[in-house]
Short mmCIF file of all heavy atoms in Angstrom, two decimals:
data_model
loop_
_atom_site.label_atom_id
_atom_site.label_comp_id
_atom_site.label_asym_id
_atom_site.label_seq_id
_atom_site.Cartn_x
_atom_site.Cartn_y
_atom_site.Cartn_z
N MET A 1 -15.49 -32.51 -21.15
CA MET A 1 -15.81 -31.11 -21.41
C MET A 1 -14.73 -30.17 -20.88
O MET A 1 -14.19 -30.39 -19.82
CB MET A 1 -17.13 -30.73 -20.71
CG MET A 1 -18.35 -30.99 -21.60
SD MET A 1 -19.83 -30.39 -20.81
CE MET A 1 -21.02 -30.97 -22.01
N LEU A 2 -14.48 -29.14 -21.65
CA LEU A 2 -13.50 -28.16 -21.21
C LEU A 2 -14.21 -26.87 -20.84
O LEU A 2 -14.84 -26.25 -21.68
CB LEU A 2 -12.48 -27.88 -22.32
CG LEU A 2 -11.58 -29.07 -22.68
CD1 LEU A 2 -10.68 -28.71 -23.84
CD2 LEU A 2 -10.75 -29.48 -21.47
N ALA A 3 -14.11 -26.50 -19.60
CA ALA A 3 -14.75 -25.26 -19.16
C ALA A 3 -13.77 -24.10 -19.32
O ALA A 3 -12.58 -24.25 -19.03
CB ALA A 3 -15.17 -25.37 -17.70
N PRO A 4 -14.24 -22.98 -19.79
CA PRO A 4 -13.35 -21.80 -19.94
C PRO A 4 -12.85 -21.32 -18.59
O PRO A 4 -13.61 -21.17 -17.65
CB PRO A 4 -14.24 -20.75 -20.61
CG PRO A 4 -15.64 -21.18 -20.28
CD PRO A 4 -15.60 -22.69 -20.18
N SER A 5 -11.55 -21.11 -18.53
CA SER A 5 -10.97 -20.68 -17.25
C SER A 5 -11.31 -19.22 -17.00
O SER A 5 -10.91 -18.33 -17.74
CB SER A 5 -9.46 -20.85 -17.28
OG SER A 5 -8.92 -20.09 -18.33
N ALA A 6 -12.04 -19.00 -15.95
CA ALA A 6 -12.43 -17.63 -15.61
C ALA A 6 -11.34 -16.99 -14.75
O ALA A 6 -11.19 -17.33 -13.58
CB ALA A 6 -13.76 -17.62 -14.88
N THR A 7 -10.59 -16.10 -15.36
CA THR A 7 -9.50 -15.47 -14.61
C THR A 7 -9.96 -14.17 -13.97
O THR A 7 -9.22 -13.57 -13.21
CB THR A 7 -8.32 -15.19 -15.54
OG1 THR A 7 -8.79 -14.39 -16.62
CG2 THR A 7 -7.73 -16.48 -16.06
N THR A 8 -11.16 -13.75 -14.31
CA THR A 8 -11.64 -12.48 -13.77
C THR A 8 -12.45 -12.68 -12.51
O THR A 8 -13.06 -11.76 -12.01
CB THR A 8 -12.49 -11.74 -14.81
OG1 THR A 8 -13.56 -12.58 -15.20
CG2 THR A 8 -11.67 -11.37 -16.03
N ALA A 9 -12.48 -13.92 -12.02
CA ALA A 9 -13.25 -14.17 -10.80
C ALA A 9 -12.58 -13.50 -9.62
O ALA A 9 -11.37 -13.60 -9.45
CB ALA A 9 -13.37 -15.66 -10.56
N PRO A 10 -13.35 -12.78 -8.83
CA PRO A 10 -12.76 -12.10 -7.66
C PRO A 10 -12.30 -13.12 -6.63
O PRO A 10 -12.92 -14.17 -6.45
CB PRO A 10 -13.92 -11.26 -7.12
CG PRO A 10 -15.16 -11.95 -7.61
CD PRO A 10 -14.78 -12.56 -8.93
N ARG A 11 -11.19 -12.78 -6.00
CA ARG A 11 -10.66 -13.67 -4.97
C ARG A 11 -11.06 -13.14 -3.60
O ARG A 11 -10.52 -12.13 -3.15
CB ARG A 11 -9.14 -13.73 -5.08
CG ARG A 11 -8.70 -14.25 -6.45
CD ARG A 11 -7.21 -14.16 -6.60
NE ARG A 11 -6.51 -14.97 -5.59
CZ ARG A 11 -5.19 -15.01 -5.47
NH1 ARG A 11 -4.46 -14.29 -6.26
NH2 ARG A 11 -4.63 -15.75 -4.55
N PRO A 12 -11.99 -13.77 -2.98
CA PRO A 12 -12.45 -13.29 -1.66
C PRO A 12 -11.38 -13.47 -0.60
O PRO A 12 -10.81 -14.54 -0.45
CB PRO A 12 -13.68 -14.17 -1.37
CG PRO A 12 -13.45 -15.42 -2.17
CD PRO A 12 -12.68 -14.99 -3.40
N GLU A 13 -11.13 -12.40 0.11
CA GLU A 13 -10.17 -12.46 1.20
C GLU A 13 -10.86 -12.05 2.49
O GLU A 13 -11.46 -10.99 2.56
CB GLU A 13 -8.99 -11.53 0.93
CG GLU A 13 -8.18 -11.97 -0.28
CD GLU A 13 -7.01 -11.04 -0.50
OE1 GLU A 13 -6.89 -10.06 0.25
OE2 GLU A 13 -6.22 -11.28 -1.41
N GLU A 14 -10.74 -12.89 3.46
CA GLU A 14 -11.42 -12.60 4.72
C GLU A 14 -10.85 -11.33 5.36
O GLU A 14 -11.56 -10.50 5.87
CB GLU A 14 -11.28 -13.77 5.68
CG GLU A 14 -11.99 -15.03 5.15
CD GLU A 14 -11.85 -16.17 6.13
OE1 GLU A 14 -11.19 -15.97 7.16
OE2 GLU A 14 -12.43 -17.25 5.87
N GLN A 15 -9.54 -11.20 5.32
CA GLN A 15 -8.90 -10.02 5.91
C GLN A 15 -7.80 -9.52 4.99
O GLN A 15 -6.72 -10.08 4.94
CB GLN A 15 -8.30 -10.39 7.27
CG GLN A 15 -7.81 -9.16 8.02
CD GLN A 15 -7.36 -9.50 9.42
OE1 GLN A 15 -7.28 -10.66 9.77
NE2 GLN A 15 -7.03 -8.51 10.21
N PRO A 16 -8.10 -8.50 4.21
CA PRO A 16 -7.10 -7.96 3.29
C PRO A 16 -5.92 -7.39 4.05
O PRO A 16 -6.06 -6.92 5.17
CB PRO A 16 -7.86 -6.87 2.52
CG PRO A 16 -9.01 -6.51 3.40
CD PRO A 16 -9.37 -7.75 4.16
N PRO A 17 -4.73 -7.43 3.45
CA PRO A 17 -3.54 -6.91 4.13
C PRO A 17 -3.68 -5.44 4.50
O PRO A 17 -3.13 -5.01 5.52
CB PRO A 17 -2.43 -7.12 3.10
CG PRO A 17 -2.95 -8.19 2.19
CD PRO A 17 -4.43 -8.00 2.15
N CYS A 18 -4.37 -4.68 3.70
CA CYS A 18 -4.51 -3.26 3.98
C CYS A 18 -5.26 -3.04 5.28
O CYS A 18 -5.00 -2.10 6.02
CB CYS A 18 -5.22 -2.56 2.83
SG CYS A 18 -4.19 -2.40 1.36
N ALA A 19 -6.20 -3.93 5.58
CA ALA A 19 -6.96 -3.78 6.81
C ALA A 19 -6.07 -4.02 8.01
O ALA A 19 -6.30 -3.48 9.09
CB ALA A 19 -8.13 -4.76 6.82
N ALA A 20 -5.03 -4.82 7.81
CA ALA A 20 -4.10 -5.10 8.90
C ALA A 20 -2.94 -4.10 8.90
O ALA A 20 -1.90 -4.36 9.47
CB ALA A 20 -3.57 -6.52 8.78
N ASP A 21 -3.15 -2.95 8.22
CA ASP A 21 -2.13 -1.91 8.14
C ASP A 21 -0.87 -2.39 7.44
O ASP A 21 0.24 -1.96 7.73
CB ASP A 21 -1.79 -1.38 9.53
CG ASP A 21 -1.32 0.07 9.45
OD1 ASP A 21 -1.39 0.65 8.35
OD2 ASP A 21 -0.89 0.61 10.47
N ARG A 22 -1.04 -3.33 6.52
CA ARG A 22 0.09 -3.80 5.72
C ARG A 22 -0.17 -3.40 4.27
O ARG A 22 -0.79 -4.14 3.51
CB ARG A 22 0.23 -5.31 5.82
CG ARG A 22 0.86 -5.77 7.12
CD ARG A 22 0.96 -7.27 7.16
NE ARG A 22 1.90 -7.74 8.16
CZ ARG A 22 3.20 -7.87 7.97
NH1 ARG A 22 3.70 -7.56 6.78
NH2 ARG A 22 3.99 -8.29 8.92
N HIS A 23 0.32 -2.25 3.90
CA HIS A 23 0.05 -1.74 2.58
C HIS A 23 1.18 -2.08 1.62
O HIS A 23 2.27 -2.47 2.03
CB HIS A 23 -0.13 -0.22 2.63
CG HIS A 23 -1.29 0.18 3.51
ND1 HIS A 23 -2.59 0.19 3.08
CD2 HIS A 23 -1.32 0.56 4.81
CE1 HIS A 23 -3.37 0.56 4.07
NE2 HIS A 23 -2.64 0.79 5.13
N LEU A 24 0.87 -1.91 0.36
CA LEU A 24 1.86 -2.20 -0.67
C LEU A 24 2.21 -0.90 -1.39
O LEU A 24 1.51 -0.49 -2.31
CB LEU A 24 1.28 -3.22 -1.66
CG LEU A 24 2.24 -3.69 -2.75
CD1 LEU A 24 3.40 -4.46 -2.13
CD2 LEU A 24 1.50 -4.55 -3.75
N PRO A 25 3.27 -0.22 -0.95
CA PRO A 25 3.62 1.07 -1.53
C PRO A 25 4.03 0.95 -2.99
O PRO A 25 4.66 -0.04 -3.39
CB PRO A 25 4.79 1.55 -0.66
CG PRO A 25 5.37 0.30 -0.09
CD PRO A 25 4.22 -0.65 0.08
N SER A 26 3.67 1.93 -3.75
CA SER A 26 4.01 1.94 -5.16
C SER A 26 5.50 2.21 -5.34
O SER A 26 6.21 2.58 -4.42
CB SER A 26 3.20 3.02 -5.88
OG SER A 26 3.57 3.07 -7.24
N HIS A 27 5.98 2.02 -6.56
CA HIS A 27 7.39 2.25 -6.83
C HIS A 27 7.70 3.73 -6.95
O HIS A 27 8.84 4.15 -6.91
CB HIS A 27 7.80 1.52 -8.12
CG HIS A 27 7.76 0.03 -7.98
ND1 HIS A 27 8.68 -0.69 -7.27
CD2 HIS A 27 6.88 -0.88 -8.46
CE1 HIS A 27 8.37 -1.97 -7.32
NE2 HIS A 27 7.28 -2.12 -8.03
N ARG A 28 6.66 4.52 -7.16
CA ARG A 28 6.87 5.97 -7.25
C ARG A 28 6.89 6.55 -5.85
O ARG A 28 5.85 6.69 -5.22
CB ARG A 28 5.75 6.62 -8.07
CG ARG A 28 5.97 6.49 -9.56
CD ARG A 28 4.82 7.10 -10.32
NE ARG A 28 5.14 7.29 -11.73
CZ ARG A 28 5.70 8.40 -12.22
NH1 ARG A 28 5.98 9.39 -11.43
NH2 ARG A 28 5.96 8.51 -13.50
N ILE A 29 8.05 6.86 -5.38
CA ILE A 29 8.20 7.40 -4.03
C ILE A 29 8.78 8.80 -4.12
O ILE A 29 9.79 9.03 -4.77
CB ILE A 29 9.13 6.50 -3.19
CG1 ILE A 29 8.52 5.09 -3.08
CG2 ILE A 29 9.33 7.10 -1.80
CD1 ILE A 29 9.44 4.11 -2.36
N THR A 30 8.09 9.73 -3.47
CA THR A 30 8.58 11.10 -3.44
C THR A 30 9.06 11.42 -2.03
O THR A 30 8.50 10.94 -1.05
CB THR A 30 7.47 12.08 -3.85
OG1 THR A 30 6.36 11.92 -2.96
CG2 THR A 30 7.03 11.80 -5.27
N VAL A 31 10.07 12.27 -1.95
CA VAL A 31 10.64 12.63 -0.65
C VAL A 31 10.25 14.05 -0.31
O VAL A 31 10.40 14.96 -1.12
CB VAL A 31 12.16 12.48 -0.68
CG1 VAL A 31 12.75 12.81 0.70
CG2 VAL A 31 12.54 11.06 -1.09
N ASP A 32 9.75 14.22 0.90
CA ASP A 32 9.32 15.53 1.34
C ASP A 32 10.53 16.39 1.72
O ASP A 32 11.66 15.92 1.74
CB ASP A 32 8.38 15.37 2.53
CG ASP A 32 7.52 16.60 2.72
OD1 ASP A 32 7.76 17.58 2.00
OD2 ASP A 32 6.63 16.57 3.58
N ASN A 33 10.26 17.65 2.03
CA ASN A 33 11.34 18.54 2.45
C ASN A 33 11.97 18.07 3.75
O ASN A 33 13.14 18.28 4.01
CB ASN A 33 10.82 19.96 2.63
CG ASN A 33 10.39 20.56 1.29
OD1 ASN A 33 10.91 20.18 0.25
ND2 ASN A 33 9.44 21.47 1.32
N ALA A 34 11.16 17.43 4.58
CA ALA A 34 11.64 16.95 5.87
C ALA A 34 12.25 15.56 5.76
O ALA A 34 12.63 14.97 6.76
CB ALA A 34 10.49 16.93 6.88
N GLY A 35 12.35 15.04 4.53
CA GLY A 35 12.94 13.73 4.35
C GLY A 35 11.96 12.60 4.53
O GLY A 35 12.35 11.44 4.63
N VAL A 36 10.69 12.94 4.55
CA VAL A 36 9.66 11.91 4.71
C VAL A 36 9.28 11.36 3.34
O VAL A 36 8.93 12.11 2.44
CB VAL A 36 8.41 12.48 5.41
CG1 VAL A 36 7.36 11.39 5.58
CG2 VAL A 36 8.80 13.06 6.76
N GLN A 37 9.38 10.07 3.23
CA GLN A 37 9.03 9.44 1.96
C GLN A 37 7.53 9.30 1.85
O GLN A 37 6.86 8.94 2.81
CB GLN A 37 9.69 8.06 1.85
CG GLN A 37 11.21 8.14 1.78
CD GLN A 37 11.83 6.76 1.75
OE1 GLN A 37 11.33 5.83 2.34
NE2 GLN A 37 12.93 6.62 1.03
N GLN A 38 7.02 9.59 0.69
CA GLN A 38 5.59 9.49 0.47
C GLN A 38 5.33 8.63 -0.75
O GLN A 38 6.01 8.74 -1.76
CB GLN A 38 4.97 10.88 0.28
CG GLN A 38 5.10 11.74 1.54
CD GLN A 38 4.42 13.09 1.34
OE1 GLN A 38 3.92 13.40 0.27
NE2 GLN A 38 4.40 13.88 2.39
N SER A 39 4.32 7.79 -0.63
CA SER A 39 3.95 6.92 -1.73
C SER A 39 2.45 6.66 -1.67
O SER A 39 1.74 7.25 -0.86
CB SER A 39 4.74 5.61 -1.66
OG SER A 39 4.41 4.80 -2.78
N ARG A 40 2.01 5.78 -2.53
CA ARG A 40 0.59 5.46 -2.56
C ARG A 40 0.44 3.95 -2.60
O ARG A 40 1.18 3.26 -3.31
CB ARG A 40 -0.05 6.10 -3.79
CG ARG A 40 -1.56 5.93 -3.82
CD ARG A 40 -2.12 6.58 -5.07
NE ARG A 40 -2.01 8.04 -5.03
CZ ARG A 40 -2.95 8.83 -4.56
NH1 ARG A 40 -4.06 8.34 -4.10
NH2 ARG A 40 -2.79 10.14 -4.56
N CYS A 41 -0.54 3.46 -1.87
CA CYS A 41 -0.75 2.02 -1.81
C CYS A 41 -1.29 1.52 -3.16
O CYS A 41 -2.15 2.14 -3.76
CB CYS A 41 -1.71 1.67 -0.68
SG CYS A 41 -1.99 -0.09 -0.51
N ARG A 42 -0.75 0.40 -3.58
CA ARG A 42 -1.17 -0.14 -4.87
C ARG A 42 -2.46 -0.93 -4.74
O ARG A 42 -3.07 -1.28 -5.75
CB ARG A 42 -0.07 -1.05 -5.42
CG ARG A 42 1.19 -0.29 -5.76
CD ARG A 42 2.30 -1.22 -6.14
NE ARG A 42 1.95 -2.04 -7.30
CZ ARG A 42 2.75 -2.97 -7.82
NH1 ARG A 42 3.91 -3.19 -7.26
NH2 ARG A 42 2.39 -3.67 -8.86
N ARG A 43 -2.84 -1.25 -3.54
CA ARG A 43 -4.07 -2.03 -3.36
C ARG A 43 -5.27 -1.13 -3.12
O ARG A 43 -6.24 -1.18 -3.85
CB ARG A 43 -3.91 -3.00 -2.18
CG ARG A 43 -2.94 -4.12 -2.44
CD ARG A 43 -3.16 -5.24 -1.45
NE ARG A 43 -2.11 -6.25 -1.50
CZ ARG A 43 -1.07 -6.27 -0.70
NH1 ARG A 43 -0.94 -5.34 0.22
NH2 ARG A 43 -0.15 -7.21 -0.79
N CYS A 44 -5.19 -0.34 -2.06
CA CYS A 44 -6.36 0.47 -1.69
C CYS A 44 -6.22 1.91 -2.18
O CYS A 44 -7.19 2.64 -2.21
CB CYS A 44 -6.58 0.44 -0.18
SG CYS A 44 -5.24 1.17 0.77
N GLY A 45 -5.01 2.32 -2.58
CA GLY A 45 -4.84 3.66 -3.13
C GLY A 45 -4.72 4.74 -2.09
O GLY A 45 -4.82 5.92 -2.41
N CYS A 46 -4.46 4.37 -0.84
CA CYS A 46 -4.36 5.38 0.20
C CYS A 46 -2.96 6.00 0.19
O CYS A 46 -2.03 5.45 -0.37
CB CYS A 46 -4.65 4.75 1.57
SG CYS A 46 -3.38 3.60 2.10
N GLU A 47 -2.86 7.15 0.82
CA GLU A 47 -1.59 7.84 0.89
C GLU A 47 -0.72 7.20 1.97
O GLU A 47 -1.17 6.98 3.09
CB GLU A 47 -1.81 9.32 1.21
CG GLU A 47 -2.56 10.05 0.12
CD GLU A 47 -1.69 10.32 -1.08
OE1 GLU A 47 -0.46 10.29 -0.93
OE2 GLU A 47 -2.24 10.56 -2.17
N LEU A 48 0.52 6.94 1.64
CA LEU A 48 1.44 6.36 2.61
C LEU A 48 2.63 7.27 2.80
O LEU A 48 3.02 8.01 1.91
CB LEU A 48 1.91 4.99 2.12
CG LEU A 48 0.83 3.93 1.94
CD1 LEU A 48 1.45 2.68 1.31
CD2 LEU A 48 0.20 3.58 3.25
N ARG A 49 3.20 7.22 3.99
CA ARG A 49 4.43 7.98 4.24
C ARG A 49 5.30 7.18 5.20
O ARG A 49 4.84 6.42 6.02
CB ARG A 49 4.12 9.35 4.83
CG ARG A 49 3.42 9.31 6.14
CD ARG A 49 3.34 10.71 6.73
NE ARG A 49 2.84 11.69 5.76
CZ ARG A 49 2.78 12.99 6.02
NH1 ARG A 49 3.17 13.46 7.19
NH2 ARG A 49 2.32 13.82 5.12
N ARG A 50 6.59 7.37 5.05
CA ARG A 50 7.52 6.64 5.88
C ARG A 50 8.63 7.56 6.35
O ARG A 50 9.26 8.26 5.55
CB ARG A 50 8.13 5.47 5.10
CG ARG A 50 9.06 4.63 5.94
CD ARG A 50 9.48 3.39 5.21
NE ARG A 50 10.28 3.69 4.01
CZ ARG A 50 10.87 2.79 3.27
NH1 ARG A 50 10.73 1.51 3.55
NH2 ARG A 50 11.57 3.12 2.21
N LEU A 51 8.84 7.55 7.64
CA LEU A 51 9.91 8.37 8.19
C LEU A 51 11.24 7.70 7.91
O LEU A 51 11.33 6.48 7.84
CB LEU A 51 9.72 8.54 9.70
CG LEU A 51 8.43 9.26 10.11
CD1 LEU A 51 8.31 9.30 11.62
CD2 LEU A 51 8.39 10.68 9.55
N PRO A 52 12.29 8.50 7.73
CA PRO A 52 13.61 7.92 7.43
C PRO A 52 14.12 7.05 8.56
O PRO A 52 14.95 6.16 8.34
CB PRO A 52 14.51 9.15 7.21
CG PRO A 52 13.78 10.29 7.84
CD PRO A 52 12.32 9.96 7.77
N THR A 53 13.67 7.30 9.77
CA THR A 53 14.15 6.52 10.91
C THR A 53 13.36 5.23 11.07
O THR A 53 13.81 4.31 11.75
CB THR A 53 14.06 7.33 12.21
OG1 THR A 53 12.72 7.77 12.38
CG2 THR A 53 14.99 8.53 12.14
N LEU A 54 12.20 5.16 10.44
CA LEU A 54 11.36 3.98 10.57
C LEU A 54 11.38 3.20 9.27
O LEU A 54 11.55 3.74 8.20
CB LEU A 54 9.93 4.37 10.93
CG LEU A 54 9.79 5.14 12.25
CD1 LEU A 54 8.33 5.52 12.47
CD2 LEU A 54 10.29 4.29 13.40
N ARG A 55 11.20 1.93 9.41
CA ARG A 55 11.15 1.07 8.23
C ARG A 55 9.76 0.49 8.05
O ARG A 55 9.56 -0.69 7.88
CB ARG A 55 12.17 -0.06 8.34
CG ARG A 55 13.59 0.43 8.27
CD ARG A 55 14.54 -0.75 8.27
NE ARG A 55 15.92 -0.30 8.14
CZ ARG A 55 16.96 -1.13 8.09
NH1 ARG A 55 16.76 -2.42 8.17
NH2 ARG A 55 18.17 -0.66 7.98
N ARG A 56 8.79 1.34 8.15
CA ARG A 56 7.42 0.89 7.98
C ARG A 56 6.58 2.02 7.43
O ARG A 56 6.79 3.18 7.76
CB ARG A 56 6.86 0.43 9.33
CG ARG A 56 5.46 -0.12 9.22
CD ARG A 56 4.96 -0.56 10.58
NE ARG A 56 3.56 -0.99 10.51
CZ ARG A 56 2.85 -1.35 11.55
NH1 ARG A 56 3.39 -1.34 12.74
NH2 ARG A 56 1.60 -1.72 11.41
N TRP A 57 5.65 1.67 6.58
CA TRP A 57 4.79 2.67 5.98
C TRP A 57 3.56 2.90 6.83
O TRP A 57 3.00 1.97 7.39
CB TRP A 57 4.37 2.22 4.57
CG TRP A 57 5.50 2.24 3.62
CD1 TRP A 57 6.34 1.20 3.32
CD2 TRP A 57 5.93 3.34 2.82
NE1 TRP A 57 7.26 1.60 2.40
CE2 TRP A 57 7.04 2.89 2.06
CE3 TRP A 57 5.49 4.65 2.68
CZ2 TRP A 57 7.70 3.75 1.18
CZ3 TRP A 57 6.15 5.48 1.79
CH2 TRP A 57 7.24 5.02 1.06
N TYR A 58 3.18 4.16 6.92
CA TYR A 58 1.98 4.52 7.67
C TYR A 58 1.05 5.30 6.76
O TYR A 58 1.51 6.02 5.87
CB TYR A 58 2.34 5.39 8.87
CG TYR A 58 3.12 4.63 9.93
CD1 TYR A 58 4.51 4.61 9.89
CD2 TYR A 58 2.45 3.95 10.93
CE1 TYR A 58 5.23 3.93 10.85
CE2 TYR A 58 3.17 3.26 11.89
CZ TYR A 58 4.56 3.25 11.84
OH TYR A 58 5.27 2.57 12.79
N ARG A 59 -0.22 5.19 7.05
CA ARG A 59 -1.17 5.99 6.30
C ARG A 59 -1.08 7.44 6.75
O ARG A 59 -0.93 7.73 7.93
CB ARG A 59 -2.60 5.47 6.53
CG ARG A 59 -2.85 4.21 5.74
CD ARG A 59 -4.30 3.84 5.82
NE ARG A 59 -4.71 3.58 7.20
CZ ARG A 59 -5.96 3.29 7.55
NH1 ARG A 59 -6.88 3.22 6.63
NH2 ARG A 59 -6.26 3.06 8.79
N SER A 60 -1.20 8.34 5.80
CA SER A 60 -1.05 9.75 6.11
C SER A 60 -2.41 10.43 6.19
O SER A 60 -2.62 11.47 5.60
CB SER A 60 -0.18 10.42 5.07
OG SER A 60 -0.78 10.32 3.79
N GLY A 61 -3.32 9.81 6.89
CA GLY A 61 -4.61 10.45 7.16
C GLY A 61 -5.32 10.92 5.91
O GLY A 61 -5.36 10.24 4.90
N LEU A 62 -5.87 12.12 5.99
CA LEU A 62 -6.65 12.65 4.88
C LEU A 62 -5.91 13.76 4.16
O LEU A 62 -6.49 14.48 3.38
CB LEU A 62 -7.99 13.20 5.39
CG LEU A 62 -8.88 12.15 6.09
CD1 LEU A 62 -10.14 12.82 6.63
CD2 LEU A 62 -9.24 11.04 5.12
N MET A 63 -4.61 13.86 4.40
CA MET A 63 -3.85 14.91 3.73
C MET A 63 -3.57 14.51 2.30
O MET A 63 -3.36 13.36 1.98
CB MET A 63 -2.53 15.15 4.48
CG MET A 63 -2.77 15.73 5.87
SD MET A 63 -1.21 16.04 6.70
CE MET A 63 -0.52 17.31 5.63
N GLY A 64 -3.52 15.50 1.42
CA GLY A 64 -3.22 15.24 0.03
C GLY A 64 -4.46 14.77 -0.69
O GLY A 64 -4.33 14.18 -1.73
ZN1 ZN B 101 -3.43 -0.23 1.27
#
């Protein structure tokens, strides 16, 4: 018997990367007046920002 491959099955993750503050910034990155890069997480959709001196994305609270 051939069972249909269900590709829409959700993949349970015990600890999503976003919960560990590891977000996946989108390719659309905008630069603020202060040189702060802003993007949006592709997984959870939260606002991200990165300082030019830092090489890590941080969540930007509830702004925007
Ligand atoms: Zn995220």
Side-chain angles (χ1 to χ4, degrees):
M1 271 186 185
L2 294 176
S5 59
T7 56
T8 57
R11 300 173 62 183
E13 294 181 357
E14 295 181 358
Q15 188 174 8
C18 287
D21 208 7
R22 283 179 163 274
H23 300 277
L24 184 65
S26 178
H27 293 287
R28 279 178 166 271
I29 299 175
T30 58
V31 182
D32 201 354
N33 293 332
V36 180
Q37 295 177 326
Q38 296 183 356
S39 183
R40 186 180 291 269
C41 181
R42 294 173 60 182
R43 290 198 190 96
C44 64
C46 69
E47 296 285 340
L48 298 174
R49 61 172 49 185
R50 183 172 64 174
L51 298 177
T53 56
L54 300 178
R55 292 185 177 181
R56 183 180 175 184
W57 290 92
Y58 293 91
R59 284 188 299 177
S60 61
L62 299 177
M63 294 181 64

